Amino acid sequence: MMTQRQSRLSGFDNRTLFLLGDEAAAYGALYAGCDFFAGYPITPASEIAEVMSRELPRVDGYYVQMEDEIASLSAVIGAVWAGAKAMTATSGPGFSLMQENIGYAIMTETPCVIIDVQRSGPSTGQATKPAQGDVLQARWGTHGDHEIIALAPSSVQECFELTVESFNLAEKYRIPVILLMDGEIGHLRESITFPAYEDVAREERRLAEPEVESFGGEDVPPMSHFGEGRFIHVTGSTHKASGMRDVSTQAVHEDLVTRLCRKIVDACAEISSVEEDFVDGAKIGVLAYGATARPARGAVLEARRAGCAVDFLRLITIWPFPEEAVKRLADRVDTILVPEMNLGQIAREVERFTAAPVLPLSKIGGVPHTIDEILDAIRANGSGSGSTVGQRP
Amino acid sequence: MNIRFSGFGGQGIVLSGYIFGVAAVFDGKQALQTQSYGSESRGGGCRSDVIISEDEIFELAPPRLDVLVALSQAAYDAYLPALREDGTLILEDDLVDTGNGSGHRTFRIKATDIAHKKFGRKIMANMVMLGFICAIVEAVSREGLERAILDNVPKGTEEMNQQAFEEGYRIGKGEPG
Amino acid sequence: MNDEPIIPGPARPLKPHRLLKFLRQEILPTAFCPGCGCGTVLNSFAQAVEELSIDPKDMVFVTGIGCSSWIPSPYFKGDTLHTTHGRPIAFATGVKIMRPDLKVVVIAGDGDIAGIGGNHLVHAARRNIDITVLMVNNWNYGMTGGQVSPATPFGVPTTTTPYDNPEHPLEAAELVAAAGANYVSRWTTYHVFPLMESIQKALEIEGFSFIEILSQCPVSYGKMVDMRRASDFLKFYRDQSVRVHKAKEMSAEELEGKIVVGKLVERQRSEFVTSLRRINERFREG
């Protein structure tokens, strides 16, 4: 017997539609099994909430518009402990407001998905324009030592696929996963081909057997839900494997926080996803992600057609940082060009893994890079010596 | 093929771009559409860009336009510099004055006037314009466009939209009415 | 029930209190200061649960950061979600939407509920979501040592109003009543029996229910106003309280400095989660 969700979504099976990145991400959530969404309107993410509010009741899920983004992530976390697969979506200003509760979700090991459709900041910035300025905020926005998972889609199709992946990683590692979209990808329309509902891999929540503790014992412990008579205690305070608070024992805190970090660090290779396209004799490599990877890829192909060997590396996983792939690229080329819609946030991270020059090709102001701009930078630096770009402010 | 629809909010600019994109998908081509957002698209200046290609699209915003559709003087003035020298200019005749001309291959139609006089509804102007463009620009098929229109106009208005499209198409082809 | 409560302290055997069964006895005694009103609130709440024969397995407690958040979390033996400061009502909203069959109870302080979380309070009351909120009002931020709170009376010195509080306190119960809750009352730790009855009513009624409980803080607050004993507060509550029906006949001047106690609102506006779930029924097959 088909579930209500299955029968609603299988109507999209194998169909090709012309959708916004935001809309595709919302459908990805529905395919992944999301049955709770709490959010607050904000450009350029509101279309995600609009699709969720329309579709969730049709798949027996629940949508609630909260009074702000802090409340939105709060409600999401509450819903997860009551058994939901839950998500919220926002942009920079709302993402800033969510930071404290992101830390709470990390500390309590609450699987959930937060979509940040990045827009031009700081502050209100250019509210309707795209940017990639929240990349380091996604990594370090909340206080205290922690690890996080963040993915960046480069197409409308990937908005769908990586939202599904975000839910799966959240469940697998019991961690909030951030889908770092950007206003460019969120607000452009492209064709997307839906998979068959049955063909979508869904990571189901691992629930604890009776007497098994939910906050320790293994790197990713199984969860418990409310209402099952287990009297679970969920707290953002430092806690023991039982979940009970202990904020005075040094070893308890050290064990907890190192485990929360270790479960991601040790799985970095498994989590990391990149698109590598290397060619013989390349002296220069282009490393990009999100919307910027589109013109970057176009520029690389054009440079090759003109006889210039260029390597291309696209980060799909942003955090944990795919350092092995970056090292592979760094070992091959003399120069790494990093176009980003910020002032060099990932370029700075790349520098940690190579002695070779890392040249940021920053562009801010709400206008994406063109193929020509990146091509010019490749041409100017393709010989591997000297540089005409890369002046960091 | 890079096409920009431009004018002011309420002229159906965004819908036109969207319908072109859907038509391209029906034709089995790649399409990428972006648009101006927020209050801009509801009364102020408004644009919608569509990139249509046989191959994967890497460019996010068309640096040079192959076709500029301008339904207001402000849009014409703002976006003319982005139009390639050999590009095509399509204008709402009653709303855009090109002075001595831009030197581009130019087509004009009184879409709003036709919509008002023939169909009694100025809002049909964008369908007249879509038909007109379809006749001039070989970006998407007529079948694809008609199917995209029928899928995206309010129920009960399909026939009038279809007729408005055909009227624009006929004028574009220079056929007698 | 475990007949042997593990209570360190006096060597003589203690007769287990009949309400101890509701507590996580392994973590007792509580961390509350001597004379704190939180014990009275805990007792009244446990009594109300007993009277209503609610199975604690059917309850979820959601709390924030502050002394009174500890009343249910971790002390009450139920599912407990101890959240970030100010946000328990927002977390509780997610819990209740997914599990409307569970009784969702928020117990937190005036700083948490009316201060940093004031916006969530207003909007939960507006939605009229079926959550019970007990706001334990001790007139200050007690856990952090006695700073001024949005409920601190005018003209009172605190550690951050050393020249006396220049602000007026928020009348949280009246605010929640205006925002649309189905049940609102105010009591004090002096009024133990009406408080117990009110908690029962709040737990039973469908929709947002809110009780503001004035509760003494002789250690952090009392030290600054020379009310160092719990009894100083209880006498104050007794002497300054005016019942709702009497207050209606009094002038604003006469009510100055008084504590209006009793039921402020009881009504049957439609409840949020019920309305939300009704939408889904439209799409259910068959």
Side-chain angles (χ1 to χ4, degrees):
Chain A
M1 162 104 187
M2 260 199 198
T3 63
Q4 194 180 340
R5 180 179 298 259
Q6 202 175 346
S7 76
R8 166 70 186 160
L9 296 178
S10 57
F12 293 98
D13 277 4
N14 305 314
R15 280 181 68 192
T16 298
L17 299 177
F18 193 59
L19 293 184
L20 288 175
D22 279 358
E23 294 168 334
Y27 280 103
L30 295 164
Y31 272 72
C34 175
D35 53 3
F36 184 90
F37 182 99
Y40 187 84
I42 186 167
T43 303
S46 300
E47 289 85 350
I48 299 173
E50 287 172 354
V51 173
M52 295 308 274
S53 69
R54 193 175 66 227
E55 292 291 348
L56 274 173
R58 293 171 173 269
V59 299
D60 209 16
Y62 303 97
Y63 169 90
V64 57
Q65 185 165 309
M66 296 299 287
E67 49 274 13
D68 57 40
E69 289 88 347
I70 299 172
S72 300
L73 186 51
S74 299
V76 160
I77 295 168
V80 170
W81 285 97
K85 278 192 172 181
M87 175 174 93
T88 185
T90 187
S91 185
F95 192 53
S96 293
L97 289 178
M98 288 180 185
Q99 293 303 325
E100 186 192 7
N101 278 340
I102 290 174
Y104 183 86
I106 292 169
M107 194 66 155
T108 55
E109 302 181 76
T110 306
C112 57
V113 174
I114 300 147
I115 299 183
D116 174 19
V117 189
Q118 300 167 87
R119 72 187 213 187
S120 174
S123 191
T124 312
Q126 298 165 289
T128 63
K129 308 280 190 220
Q132 295 178 311
D134 307 349
V135 177
L136 286 179
Q137 186 187 22
R139 178 66 186 87
W140 294 115
T142 196
H143 60 279
D145 290 305
H146 60 275
E147 293 290 327
I148 194 79
I149 298 176
L151 313 175
S154 291
S155 67
V156 170
Q157 185 77 39
E158 249 184 17
C159 288
F160 179 99
E161 290 165 0
L162 293 188
T163 305
V164 174
E165 179 68 4
S166 295
F167 273 93
N168 289 345
L169 290 170
E171 293 297 338
K172 190 163 187 190
Y173 297 101
R174 264 187 76 182
I175 193 169
V177 175
I178 296 160
L179 186 70
L180 272 175
M181 287 173 53
D182 51 64
E184 191 61 32
I185 290 297
H187 264 182
L188 66 77
R189 282 191 179 84
E190 284 186 300
S191 61
I192 163 181
T193 302
F194 282 73
Y197 181 78
E198 289 109 78
D199 294 345
V200 173
R202 275 172 286 269
E203 184 86 24
E204 295 308 330
R205 185 162 301 163
R206 194 161 69 94
L207 293 172
E209 298 295 324
E211 308 305 317
V212 172
E213 294 178 318
S214 286
F215 298 94
E218 48 187 308
D219 276 5
V220 186
M223 248 183 107
S224 298
H225 288 154
F226 292 151
E228 293 171 355
R230 301 193 54 148
F231 301 137
I232 53 171
H233 180 55
V234 182
T235 177
S237 291
T238 294
H239 46 272
K240 296 177 283 196
S242 63
M244 293 309 292
R245 185 176 189 270
D246 178 351
V247 299
S248 50
T249 312
Q250 183 266 339
V252 170
H253 184 81
E254 186 174 7
D255 287 353
L256 173 64
V257 173
T258 50
R259 175 176 67 75
L260 295 181
C261 291
R262 183 176 66 231
K263 71 178 179 181
I264 301 305
V265 172
D266 285 359
C268 181
E270 198 182 334
I271 296 167
S272 287
S273 177
V274 298
E275 178 190 342
E276 272 177 342
D277 180 10
F278 296 160
V279 289
D280 287 342
K283 292 257 193 307
I284 185 168
V286 177
L287 184 152
Y289 56 94
T292 311
R294 296 283 287 270
R297 178 104 178 107
V300 165
L301 295 178
E302 209 148 307
R304 287 179 189 166
R305 276 196 291 273
C308 176
V310 187
D311 279 351
F312 179 68
L313 176 62
R314 177 166 74 95
L315 307 186
I316 298 168
T317 310
I318 306 293
W319 310 114
F321 195 66
E323 55 182 72
E324 291 308 321
V326 173
K327 281 180 195 159
R328 277 196 296 275
L329 174 67
D331 285 346
R332 296 170 47 85
V333 299
D334 300 329
T335 308
I336 299 178
L337 183 68
V338 186
E340 320 179 64
M341 293 172 75
N342 60 44
L343 295 179
Q345 296 191 19
I346 283 294
R348 190 191 302 259
E349 194 71 15
V350 173
E351 278 174 348
R352 298 175 57 213
F353 302 102
T354 177
V358 176
L359 307 176
L361 182 60
S362 293
K363 188 172 183 186
I364 59 173
V367 182
H369 294 72
T370 63
I371 289 174
D372 282 349
E373 285 166 351
I374 299 170
L375 192 58
D376 287 348
I378 293 171
R379 284 199 187 110
N381 299 280
S383 63
S385 57
S387 76
T388 59
V389 294
Q391 297 308 308
R392 181 173 281 146
Chain B
M1 169 85 73
N2 302 332
I3 307 171
R4 173 167 295 169
F5 297 84
S6 61
F8 41 81
Q11 286 181 315
I13 302 295
V14 171
L15 181 66
S16 297
Y18 174 68
I19 284 176
F20 244 75
V22 173
V25 174
F26 284 150
D27 286 352
K29 293 179 179 170
Q30 301 291 321
L32 186 152
Q33 185 246 333
T34 57
Q35 65 202 51
S36 48
Y37 262 87
S39 52
E40 292 179 75
S41 58
R42 300 185 198 105
C46 180
R47 59 150 191 87
S48 175
D49 293 339
V50 192
I51 303 174
I52 295 168
S53 172
E54 297 289 343
D55 306 314
E56 193 178 348
I57 297 168
F58 297 109
E59 202 78 84
L60 294 168
R64 303 292 285 166
L65 300 171
D66 298 296
V67 179
L68 173 63
V69 181
L71 306 190
S72 75
Q73 189 66 42
Y76 170 81
D77 294 342
Y79 301 130
L80 187 67
L83 184 62
R84 296 160 60 104
E85 270 182 32
D86 57 351
T88 302
L89 189 56
I90 298 175
L91 304 171
E92 166 57 76
D93 200 17
D94 284 339
L95 295 175
V96 181
D97 177 6
T98 58
N100 296 327
S102 67
H104 292 92
R105 184 169 165 251
T106 303
F107 300 86
R108 298 165 166 281
I109 183 171
K110 295 178 191 296
T112 313
D113 189 55
I114 292 164
H116 180 57
K117 288 191 176 139
K118 271 215 121 145
F119 303 100
R121 298 185 66 180
K122 285 185 184 174
I123 200 163
M124 287 294 143
N126 66 332
M127 289 302 141
V128 175
M129 184 57 93
L130 278 177
F132 187 65
I133 298 165
C134 180
I136 295 162
V137 178
E138 287 177 9
V140 293
S141 71
R142 178 176 175 171
E143 295 70 31
L145 258 181
E146 285 181 334
R147 197 176 145 200
I149 289 168
L150 293 180
D151 276 5
N152 288 286
V153 296
K155 290 273 169 287
T157 69
E158 292 94 338
E159 198 179 330
M160 187 183 283
N161 277 287
Q162 173 75 25
Q163 285 169 2
F165 178 86
E166 279 170 16
E167 181 67 12
Y169 189 85
R170 187 185 61 73
I171 295 167
K173 285 289 181 200
E175 292 165 7
Chain C
M1 143 179 184
N2 181 1
D3 286 338
E4 295 297 323
I6 304 156
I7 301 179
R12 66 188 171 82
L14 283 175
K15 192 171 173 229
H17 191 284
R18 65 193 167 82
L19 297 177
L20 267 177
K21 63 183 174 188
F22 289 120
L23 305 187
R24 294 186 206 264
Q25 295 176 39
E26 67 276 16
I27 55 168
L28 294 177
T30 71
F32 300 131
C33 301
C36 175
C38 286
T40 307
V41 177
L42 174 58
N43 199 338
S44 307
F45 183 79
Q47 182 66 44
V49 172
E50 171 94 331
E51 291 286 334
L52 292 173
S53 304
I54 302 173
D55 186 340
K57 289 189 172 102
D58 299 328
M59 305 187 81
V60 176
F61 296 94
V62 189
T63 70
I65 302 296
C67 304
S68 52
S69 285
W70 284 55
I71 292 172
S73 170
Y75 298 127
F76 210 92
K77 196 170 169 186
D79 287 325
T80 46
L81 182 63
H82 207 120
T83 75
T84 44
H85 187 39
R87 318 301 167 196
I89 294 175
F91 279 77
T93 300
V95 175
K96 186 67 189 182
I97 291 171
M98 291 311 294
R99 289 296 302 270
D101 56 317
L102 300 176
K103 283 243 176 275
V104 179
V105 178
V106 171
I107 305 179
D110 47 308
D112 207 289
I113 298 292
I116 185 170
N119 199 30
H120 310 309
L121 174 67
V122 171
H123 289 280
R126 173 181 63 77
R127 286 183 194 106
N128 199 26
I129 184 167
D130 187 22
I131 290 171
T132 297
V133 176
L134 307 188
M135 186 185 94
V136 182
N137 179 0
N138 66 0
W139 288 339
N140 80 124
Y141 286 88
M143 186 172 268
T144 45
Q147 295 79 23
V148 69
S149 92
T152 304
F154 180 83
V156 162
T158 70
T159 63
T160 50
T161 52
Y163 311 112
D164 300 344
N165 183 16
E167 302 181 18
H168 295 283
L170 184 73
E171 299 293 353
E174 283 76 3
L175 174 77
V176 175
N182 262 2
Y183 180 82
V184 179
S185 72
R186 180 188 290 112
W187 294 104
T188 78
T189 48
Y190 171 77
H191 303 89
V192 176
F193 289 98
L195 172 61
M196 258 161 27
E197 281 172 30
S198 185
I199 294 172
Q200 284 184 44
K201 187 78 197 174
L203 287 171
E204 281 182 309
I205 206 160
E206 197 191 7
F208 194 75
S209 54
F210 179 84
I211 308 176
E212 177 178 348
I213 306 167
L214 272 69
S215 170
Q216 70 273 17
C217 176
V219 171
S220 284
Y221 184 81
K223 72 179 181 206
M224 298 178 289
V225 294
D226 202 22
M227 291 170 79
R228 290 167 195 273
R229 294 183 308 171
S231 57
D232 295 339
F233 285 86
L234 297 179
K235 283 176 195 157
F236 184 86
Y237 295 155
R238 179 193 65 195
D239 297 341
Q240 298 304 314
S241 292
V242 178
R243 296 286 175 135
V244 170
H245 61 274
K246 281 200 181 147
K248 281 183 183 146
E249 292 157 10
M250 292 166 71
S251 68
E253 290 75 32
E254 288 170 317
L255 280 171
E256 190 66 41
K258 298 289 182 192
I259 304 163
V260 178
V261 296
K263 182 173 74 183
L264 274 70
V265 157
E266 184 179 344
R267 58 191 161 202
Q268 280 94 38
R269 285 174 78 227
S270 63
E271 193 276 327
F272 168 62
V273 178
T274 307
S275 303
L276 185 68
R277 289 191 161 243
R278 204 165 284 148
I279 296 171
N280 290 21
E281 282 164 23
R282 291 188 215 165
F283 301 105
R284 211 150 280 160
E285 287 147 35

